Amino acid sequence: LIFPVWKDRKSLAVRKTTGKKWICFFAVCLLFCLELKAAEIGETSGQAERYDSRLRSWQRVNQGSEISFGERVRTGSGGFLELRFSGKRYIRLAERSEVELNGTEEGNSPRDIAISLTRGRIWASVLVRKIRRGSMKIRTPVALVAVRGTQLDASFRRDLGELQLAVLSGSVEVAPPEMIEGPEVVEGPREIEPPREITREEWMVLVESGHLFSITAGGEPRVLKAGETVLGNGWVVANRQRDLQVMQE
């Protein structure tokens, strides 16, 4: 007479435990799905689009819509597009530019941003100083850029394989693109005093505020003092003003 009662209690305990496991499973799935949302569209103007993989075509984006990891966005002639990430981090595309939002080595999390600059010009802002190292990375075929508390103007010419970076505040680490997979140990990072050329064997460098980094495919990287034409052009001035606005939001 006692055994059936004991069995029922055990079955009830098993059902309760199983139910808790299913609740935890669905909670983890929900959290994972939310984390796949990488960014939100901020201000746009002109031709600003995202690639819809289901329709296999480019579709216009609207302010406030979400962008997930793995998606691509672009601008056309006269276009502008702002991507807003968590932690006061922003990527803005000038006209005729395209980027892809990637996951990082640490996983697909809004805390860890990596984008591929396919072509064109972008502005990158990390406006919170105490965010952990390596929280934003910009990938190109010729270099990998690790952005810290920074304002950065970057342009990549796909036809020439040429990357130019102008650091307006903070600093960035620049390394060879093969270091994305980390197959070999490279000494550094260390600051290179401009102006001078640096060899490909030593070119994991720290580019400080007020300096310009450039490299072409198969060429040697260079770090130079940025002039007023770089630091004070209209694109730079407009983005610094925009950063002041978003810091007050």
Side-chain angles (χ1 to χ4, degrees), residues 9-243:
R9 288 178 178 174
K10 183 177 181 181
S11 300
L12 181 60
V14 170
R15 286 196 297 270
K16 287 182 177 180
T17 303
T18 303
K20 290 179 180 179
K21 288 182 179 179
W22 277 107
I23 291 172
C24 292
F25 174 76
F26 285 121
V28 170
C29 289
L30 178 60
L31 181 60
F32 180 77
C33 292
L34 289 174
E35 285 192 342
L36 289 179
K37 298 300 180 182
E40 179 182 291
I41 299 294
E43 291 188 355
T44 66
S45 64
Q47 184 182 355
E49 302 173 323
R50 72 194 294 175
Y51 185 75
D52 191 317
S53 57
R54 293 171 298 177
L55 300 177
R56 297 186 179 181
S57 64
W58 290 92
Q59 304 292 321
R60 180 168 178 80
V61 294
N62 298 311
Q63 185 171 352
S65 58
E66 293 180 328
I67 300 294
S68 301
F69 286 109
E71 290 197 89
R72 291 182 287 157
V73 295
R74 73 177 185 184
T75 55
S77 178
F80 171 82
L81 186 153
E82 179 182 69
L83 295 172
R84 304 168 65 99
F85 300 88
S86 62
K88 292 288 184 181
R89 293 171 292 177
Y90 303 87
I91 294 287
R92 303 189 189 104
L93 282 68
E95 64 175 349
R96 298 187 183 94
S97 302
E98 181 178 337
V99 301
E100 179 179 351
L101 276 67
N102 311 128
T104 66
E105 293 83 353
E106 292 80 13
N108 291 338
S109 166
R111 296 185 302 274
D112 303 300
I113 303 166
I115 71 161
S116 293
L117 175 56
T118 307
R119 60 182 174 90
R121 188 178 191 179
I122 63 171
W123 177 270
S125 297
V126 178
L127 302 178
V128 178
R129 296 287 181 179
K130 294 184 179 180
I131 201 160
R132 68 183 181 80
R133 182 179 177 182
S135 61
M136 180 185 287
K137 295 178 181 178
I138 300 172
R139 294 169 174 166
T140 73
V142 295
L144 171 67
V145 183
V147 183
R148 306 183 190 179
T150 302
Q151 291 175 308
L152 171 70
D153 180 19
S155 60
F156 177 67
R157 290 191 59 178
R158 185 166 54 184
D159 57 337
L160 300 178
E162 180 184 46
L163 173 68
Q164 284 197 349
L165 307 173
V167 181
L168 282 301
S169 66
S171 62
V172 298
E173 289 178 7
V174 190
E178 61 266 20
M179 290 192 67
I180 294 173
E181 303 298 335
E184 57 187 27
V185 177
V186 177
E187 183 183 354
R190 59 177 179 268
E191 183 178 354
I192 303 299
E193 290 296 333
R196 75 174 182 88
E197 293 187 354
I198 47 182
T199 67
R200 296 191 68 84
E201 288 73 23
E202 66 174 358
W203 82 268
M204 185 175 178
V205 297
L206 184 67
V207 186
E208 297 285 359
S209 176
H211 294 86
L212 180 70
F213 173 93
S214 64
I215 186 173
T216 56
E220 294 184 348
R222 292 174 60 87
V223 179
L224 303 170
K225 186 76 174 178
E228 186 59 30
T229 56
V230 174
L231 303 178
N233 65 66
W235 169 253
V236 169
V237 172
N239 277 285
R240 300 193 84 170
Q241 290 175 347
R242 175 61 180 160
D243 285 344

